[in-house]
């Protein structure tokens, strides 16, 4: 079979001539021959497979720049790139689904404080008992963690870089102010997002005074309490857990290179636990003004991979840094009497098996005792990192 004109090739590939001209201009699918006088494009029949691949990738919403990358790869590598892209899409969709559910709930529910019981009387507002504890551990020369628990705010931050301690403290200080700042009804997530942006600026101010500002930053996991709901902001690899009805749930998603590889199916959870790059962060509140890796004086580092990479990573610039995908996760949780929340740095979660953490959370009566037992447990497992815990009981 000879060369096909653009119309015949478009019909065979189920693409429009306009799309073929665009793909030619972008270098995605160059014609086999272009008439030097008329500019008429002709295509070889063996180009149909690539044309159909481009069409399929466009149908799943893949950007043209990334399609160009996929088309230049061998089949196995191309398949992995598609798998990586779709894992990122599903993660983004899950975040939007959570926000949509919150918006539906917010727009349809009555004021939670006015909710009635079956007897018709207003239900009593919930309250929390809380405790926080931070420990240097047995190996680190200083403690770069920061933790805070108050009547409205729970927060943990894990700093990195030479100025990691001041960076985590600066982020926590911003969230402490929410203890007294008024939060308009139904505006929990906006208040948290604003606080995260202020925390990002505070971290960059700290980093600016460091000789290597790109290496300075902090993780952050924080909750804002209203009496019936907890709004969560999270960036990095500190974690939040919920113990409900005796079952422990991790309610944050680690922003690490290894977790991205697990999401993409490239690593199992067991392999991730011992992976040498398990502490490599993809997102953090950071002093970096542009993408750049920075050695962490604690256990982690910040990846310099761009947000279009196969792992779906960001530059680690963090909140307010301008890098796509570098912002925090924001979620809203309805509290239930009997819930127990744990916020912790990776000095606990990366060191102590989750089964042991669950045993302590389920079997220890008060928040003060729980945080002490968890810190002691991390030290029993060698205390290789700073460890910080915040525990809150909903009553």
């Amino acid at each position: 079979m000879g060369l096909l004109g653009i119309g015949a090739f478009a019909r065979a590939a189920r693409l429009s001539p306009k799309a073929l001209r665009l793909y030619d201009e972008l270098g995605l699918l160059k014609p086999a021959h272009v008439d030097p006088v008329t500019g008429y494009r002709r295509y070889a029949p063996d180009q149909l497979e690539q044309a159909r691949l481009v069409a399929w990738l466009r149908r799943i919403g893949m950007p043209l720049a990334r399609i160009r990358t996929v088309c230049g790869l061998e089949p196995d590598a191309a398949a992995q790139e598609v798998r990586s892209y779709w894992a990122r899409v599903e993660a983004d969709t899950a975040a939007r689904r959570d926000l949509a559910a919150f918006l539906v709930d917010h727009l349809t529910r009555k004021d939670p404080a006015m909710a009635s019981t079956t007897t018709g009387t207003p239900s009593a507002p919930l309250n929390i008992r809380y405790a926080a504890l931070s420990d240097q551990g047995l190996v680190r020369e200083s403690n770069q963690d920061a933790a805070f628990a108050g009547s409205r705010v729970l927060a943990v931050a894990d700093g990195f870089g030479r100025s990691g301690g001041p960076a985590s403290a600066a982020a926590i200080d911003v969230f402490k102010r929410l203890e007294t700042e008024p939060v308009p009804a139904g505006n929990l997530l906006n208040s948290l997002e604003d606080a995260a942006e202020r925390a990002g600026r505070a971290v960059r101010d700290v980093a600016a005074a460091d000789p290597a500002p790109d290496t300075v930053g902090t993780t952050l996991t924080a909750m804002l309490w209203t009496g019936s709901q907890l709004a969560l902001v999270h960036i990095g690899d500190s974690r939040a857990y919920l113990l409900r009805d005796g079952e422990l749930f991790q309610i944050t998603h680690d922003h690490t290179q290894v977790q991205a590889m697990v999401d993409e199916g490239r690593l199992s959870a067991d392999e991730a636990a011992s992976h040498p790059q398990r502490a490599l962060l993809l997102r953090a509140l950071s002093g970096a003004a542009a993408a750049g890796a920075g050695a962490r004086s604690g256990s982690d580092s910040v990846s310099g991979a761009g947000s279009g990479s196969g792992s779906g990573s960001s530059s680690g610039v963090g909140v307010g840094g301008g890098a796509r995908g570098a912002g925090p996760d924001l979620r809203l949780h309805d509290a239930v009497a009997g819930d127990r929340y744990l916020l912790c740095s990776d000095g606990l979660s990366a060191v102590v098996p989750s089964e042991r953490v669950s045993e302590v959370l389920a079997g220890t009566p008060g928040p003060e005792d729980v945080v002490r037992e968890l810190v002691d447990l991390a030290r029993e497992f060698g205390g290789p990192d700073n460890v910080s815990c915040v525990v809150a009981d909903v009553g």
Side-chain angles (χ1 to χ4, degrees):
M1 184 185 295
L3 297 181
L4 300 175
I6 189 171
F9 188 82
R11 287 191 295 274
R14 297 188 177 182
L15 290 167
S16 69
K18 180 179 179 181
L20 288 174
R21 286 190 287 269
L22 174 62
Y23 299 162
D24 179 14
E25 294 169 3
L26 295 175
L28 285 173
L29 187 64
K30 303 296 289 185
H33 178 264
V34 179
D35 189 287
V37 177
T38 65
Y40 191 74
R41 296 170 173 85
R42 294 183 182 277
Y43 295 82
D46 60 9
Q47 290 183 283
L48 281 170
E49 183 176 354
Q50 183 174 353
R52 289 166 182 154
L53 174 61
V54 172
W56 292 333
L57 293 174
R58 287 298 292 153
R59 287 185 190 128
I60 67 171
M62 183 177 286
L64 291 172
R66 194 157 185 174
I67 290 175
R68 186 188 298 115
T69 299
V70 172
C71 290
L73 297 174
E74 294 297 322
D76 287 347
Q80 180 57 51
E81 185 71 10
V82 173
R83 187 180 297 113
S84 170
Y85 168 75
W86 195 247
R88 183 70 264 166
V89 170
E90 289 182 326
D92 291 343
T93 300
R96 291 196 296 271
R97 182 177 61 243
D98 289 341
L99 181 56
F102 158 71
L103 290 172
V104 170
D105 185 59
H106 171 66
L107 292 170
T108 57
R109 73 160 59 193
K110 295 180 179 180
D111 183 348
M114 298 301 293
S116 298
T117 65
T118 54
T119 62
T121 58
S123 59
L126 299 172
N127 57 74
I128 57 171
R129 295 174 55 207
Y130 49 85
L133 185 61
S134 184
D135 185 79
Q136 182 175 324
L138 300 176
V139 176
R140 302 296 179 199
E141 296 180 355
S142 62
N143 190 356
Q144 295 189 311
D145 283 6
F148 174 78
S151 60
R152 296 179 63 189
V153 175
L154 313 169
V156 166
D158 181 359
F160 55 87
R162 180 158 42 185
S163 300
S168 63
I172 293 295
D173 283 346
V174 170
F175 277 82
K176 286 181 181 178
R177 298 175 205 157
L178 294 178
E179 280 284 300
T180 56
E181 288 181 2
V183 178
N187 205 29
L188 273 177
L189 292 182
N190 286 340
S191 296
L192 269 190
E193 188 171 30
D194 290 346
E197 290 175 355
R198 295 198 303 270
R201 290 194 294 270
V203 169
R204 290 195 296 278
D205 288 345
V206 170
D210 190 276
D214 287 1
T215 69
V216 176
T218 185
T219 70
L220 175 71
T221 302
M223 283 181 157
L224 179 60
W225 166 259
T226 64
S228 61
Q229 292 181 313
L230 283 163
L232 169 70
V233 61
H234 165 70
I235 188 166
D237 64 353
S238 297
R239 290 183 177 180
Y241 293 90
L242 166 63
L243 183 74
R244 176 174 288 176
D245 297 329
E247 188 171 358
L248 187 64
F249 304 91
Q250 181 181 335
I251 58 175
T252 53
H253 194 73
D254 293 348
H255 300 142
T256 61
Q257 180 71 48
V258 165
Q259 183 59 54
M261 294 169 72
V262 172
D263 295 341
E264 295 159 12
R266 294 159 61 189
L267 283 179
S268 69
D270 290 340
E271 291 170 331
S274 58
H275 195 280
Q277 292 184 325
R278 61 186 177 278
L280 187 66
L281 295 174
L282 298 181
R283 296 197 225 170
L285 301 182
S286 172
R296 184 168 183 173
S297 63
S299 60
D300 297 329
S301 60
V302 179
S303 170
S307 59
S309 70
S311 65
S313 64
S314 70
S315 69
V317 173
V319 174
R324 185 181 63 174
D329 294 338
L330 292 160
R331 299 187 67 177
L332 197 69
H333 287 265
D334 286 318
V336 176
D339 284 350
R340 171 168 277 178
Y341 287 90
L342 165 67
L343 278 60
C344 65
S345 64
D346 66 342
L348 178 72
S349 58
V351 174
V352 180
S354 59
E355 296 81 6
R356 297 292 301 276
V357 173
S358 181
E359 289 172 5
V360 172
L361 288 171
T364 308
E368 297 84 356
D369 293 332
V370 175
V371 294
R372 280 195 295 268
E373 287 202 29
L374 290 174
V375 168
D376 288 345
L377 197 56
R379 293 172 70 91
E380 288 177 18
F381 276 81
D385 198 359
N386 308 144
V387 56
S388 293
C389 302
V390 171
V391 171
D393 288 348
V394 179

